[in-house]
Amino acid sequence: MLLPLLPVAVSATLVTLPTDSWARPGHTRDVVHHLLGYVGGLTVLPWLLGHGIARLTRALRARRDRAGSDRTGAPAMP
């Protein structure tokens, strides 16, 4: 989660500074697009993908374990 901290922080600084650019039309839209693109794309999206893959893997392993090791549906012998 900390890996994209540097590019996000640098780009956030470039978007917000200098502060006199806030009076320019469309600057608020640029800030919103920055939040969606960098913060969402570099931090939230990879976390969601990793979380989804982990849950899918866990569900498939649980399903395989319930089916038995010989894939006939018989429970595995301890």
Side-chain angles (χ1 to χ4, degrees):
M1 199 69 170
L2 293 177
L3 184 64
L5 184 62
L6 183 63
V8 169
V10 169
S11 63
T13 304
L14 293 174
V15 166
T16 57
L17 295 177
T19 55
D20 60 346
S21 66
W22 283 86
R24 184 175 49 87
H27 186 74
T28 305
R29 186 187 68 232
D30 293 342
V31 172
V32 170
H33 287 160
H34 171 266
L35 288 174
L36 291 174
Y38 276 91
V39 177
L42 289 176
T43 57
V44 176
L45 183 62
W47 183 86
L48 285 173
L49 288 172
H51 182 69
I53 290 169
R55 289 190 53 98
L56 178 64
T57 303
R58 188 179 313 138
L60 290 175
R61 285 181 181 167
R63 183 177 171 191
R64 183 186 62 203
D65 290 344
R66 277 194 308 265
S69 60
D70 61 357
R71 304 217 182 254
T72 61
M77 297 296 287

